[in-house]
Amino acid sequence: MTAQRAADRTSEPLTEYVQRFSQRVRAFDRRHPLVWDLHLSGFWVAAALIDYVGGGWRNVALVLDTPSWLVLTLSLGLSVPLVWRRSHPFGVLLAIVPFALVNAWTGTVLQAAMLQLLVVFHIALRLRPSMLGWALVLVITPVVITAVRYPKGTADQDIVPVLMSVVCAAAIGIAVRARRNRTEALEDRARRLEIERDQQARLAAAAERARIAREMHDIIGHNLSVITGLADGGKYAAAKSPERAAEALHAIGTTSRQALGELRRLLDVLREEDKDDTEADLAPQPTLTDLDQLIDGVRAAGLPVSTITHGTPALPPGRQLTVYRVIQEALTNTLKHAGPGATAEITLSYGDKGAVIATVTDSGRGSPPAVPGDGRGLPGMRERTALYGGTLEAGPRPHPERGWRVHLQLPEETPQ
């Protein structure tokens, strides 16, 4: 593994080394900005002092009898303020300008005056564009003074080269600033996209949990209610009719196995570790053709159910599942809360283009199926109904009738 990593590093192009090195330098600079400022400023101060000590300034000076102390003062005045060039670039330029004016007036013309281009670069990089105009005036003024007091050629020869240098420094600063702004905008967009992706993932997970909870409530809750009804009926029948008790126990076993099978299929869908090896045993969602089996199970649990149907069902699978689940939940609530001696009636009316009206009534006590907010039954039914723009009403039947009424209405399908 070590040899492989060494080979990978050897095969990397030079640009990647340079990019990695620059990233490390920028990271260090962000953590310790003063260190970089002191190093760079120290370099230019040392260069200015070498120019002073070695006498190199005399090669370009227009007046050679400038006192040494003034040359030293100008060298330090034009270089030392660069320490604050990033934090206060315009203030640094204001601090340098007096020394630049003296440098121009005396004809010393130290090359350290060109360090003002660094300050112009940082003004273009960090300050508003209007500051560049003032920076241009401050930098060019000493050049104009030198051209007027000590002319060497035409004004174009004395002023234009310096002016072009200042414009180039400002242009480089503007280009770096634009690139930095674009990079920051891209990074901000990437962060926002990452946040939105995480939010979408959380919303999708919450929706999936709600769907799973609704399915488990509909499947397991109904079967357990049927089992409870069968067990209660078997308990009363055990003393008087052992045959009926045996039938109840057989129905309990059948219903329990069916509930376990449906639960197993639901859990198999949620398993991820075996998806590569085997496919989950998926069963189709119930349709209106399964209503008879549902009603037979409820009747076996001791609740008499009658059905009235108008029209011919011609619904897509999604609408059939919604009608099935609403009827299932209504019958489950009747088993739980209607009390002994209750009966139920289902009325189905099918229209054109997927329209359907389903009403489930019972003759029980008429109490609500659960304390509001405590269960998933009614919210689950309303969520399913809302998917197709339908309406769901659930409440006690009007006086003097007793019992509970669930009324579902799905409108016609709208063309997409």
Side-chain angles (χ1 to χ4, degrees):
M1 181 63 69
T2 304
Q4 180 65 33
R5 290 179 179 175
D8 292 340
R9 288 195 295 268
T10 303
S11 62
E12 290 180 354
L14 180 61
T15 54
E16 294 189 8
Y17 284 106
V18 174
Q19 184 179 7
R20 190 182 303 113
F21 177 75
S22 64
Q23 289 175 350
R24 292 178 180 176
V25 170
R26 285 195 295 269
F28 179 83
D29 183 44
R30 284 192 295 269
R31 294 192 301 269
H32 311 285
L34 185 59
V35 174
W36 177 253
D37 290 338
L38 289 175
H39 276 76
L40 186 61
S41 301
F43 172 80
W44 292 115
V45 171
L49 291 178
I50 291 173
D51 189 47
Y52 160 71
V53 173
W57 64 275
R58 297 180 183 274
N59 297 327
V60 295
L62 300 176
V63 176
L64 299 179
D65 59 353
T66 305
S68 297
W69 65 267
L70 181 58
V71 176
L72 177 60
T73 302
L74 293 177
S75 298
L76 295 177
L78 292 170
S79 57
V80 171
L82 293 177
V83 176
W84 299 278
R85 72 193 182 282
R86 292 197 292 183
S87 57
H88 304 87
F90 198 78
V92 169
L93 184 61
L94 292 176
I96 290 178
V97 164
F99 296 95
L101 291 173
V102 174
N103 181 51
W105 187 266
T106 60
T108 309
V109 194
L110 295 177
Q111 293 181 348
M114 298 302 293
L115 295 177
Q116 294 176 97
L117 297 179
L118 272 176
V119 184
V120 172
F121 167 80
H122 284 283
I123 290 175
L125 179 64
R126 304 175 189 281
L127 302 182
R128 60 182 183 273
S130 61
M131 303 299 291
L132 280 175
W134 291 105
L136 178 63
V137 172
L138 293 175
V139 174
I140 292 299
T141 299
V143 178
V144 174
I145 292 175
T146 301
V148 171
R149 282 180 58 84
Y150 309 99
K152 294 187 298 182
T154 63
D156 293 343
Q157 295 173 339
D158 293 338
I159 299 176
V160 171
V162 179
L163 179 61
M164 294 300 297
S165 300
V166 175
V167 171
C168 287
I172 294 173
I174 293 173
V176 174
R177 181 175 186 169
R179 183 178 182 275
R180 179 178 296 179
N181 291 342
R182 182 174 180 273
T183 302
E184 291 176 353
L186 291 175
E187 291 176 351
D188 180 69
R189 182 170 180 267
R191 285 193 295 269
R192 287 190 285 105
L193 289 175
E194 185 176 357
I195 293 173
E196 291 176 4
R197 181 199 64 190
D198 294 340
Q199 289 176 343
Q200 291 295 332
R202 287 194 293 268
L203 290 175
E208 186 64 13
R209 286 195 297 268
R211 185 189 67 83
I212 293 170
R214 184 171 60 241
E215 292 295 328
M216 293 190 68
H217 175 275
D218 291 342
I219 295 172
I220 308 304
H222 172 74
N223 287 321
L224 289 178
S225 297
V226 172
I227 291 172
T228 302
L230 290 170
D232 291 339
K235 179 179 67 175
Y236 290 110
K240 300 181 180 180
S241 179
E243 295 80 6
R244 295 291 301 276
E247 292 177 0
L249 292 175
H250 177 72
I252 289 174
T254 301
T255 306
S256 300
R257 283 188 292 272
Q258 180 182 358
L260 287 174
E262 292 179 353
L263 178 61
R264 187 178 297 111
R265 283 191 292 269
L266 182 60
L267 295 178
D268 284 342
V269 173
L270 302 179
R271 292 174 59 188
E272 295 182 357
E273 61 273 16
D274 296 335
K275 283 186 178 180
D276 296 334
D277 300 329
T278 59
E279 293 292 335
D281 182 17
L282 301 178
Q285 292 281 20
T287 62
L288 293 178
T289 58
D290 300 309
L291 273 179
D292 292 338
Q293 182 180 357
L294 172 71
I295 294 171
D296 289 341
V298 173
R299 288 170 178 163
L303 176 65
V305 180
S306 60
T307 60
I308 302 175
T309 303
H310 303 284
T312 302
L315 305 178
R319 292 187 170 226
Q320 291 191 42
L321 177 62
T322 298
V323 175
Y324 180 92
R325 292 302 190 199
V326 168
I327 294 175
Q328 181 186 52
E329 180 64 26
L331 293 177
T332 301
N333 289 333
T334 300
L335 282 171
K336 289 180 180 179
H337 306 285
T343 61
E345 181 180 87
I346 302 172
T347 303
L348 289 169
S349 299
Y350 300 105
D352 297 330
K353 299 180 181 180
V356 62
I357 298 176
T359 304
V360 181
T361 57
D362 64 62
S363 59
R365 291 191 294 261
S367 59
V371 178
D374 286 353
R376 296 182 179 270
L378 285 177
M381 286 194 288
R382 290 195 172 97
E383 289 173 5
R384 292 183 184 277
T385 304
L387 289 176
Y388 299 98
T391 58
L392 180 76
E393 299 175 0
R397 298 171 67 183
H399 186 77
E401 296 177 335
R402 295 182 55 191
W404 193 262
R405 175 179 177 269
V406 175
H407 181 74
L408 165 71
Q409 183 173 359
L410 299 182
E412 295 181 356
E413 290 187 276
T414 56
Q416 300 296 328

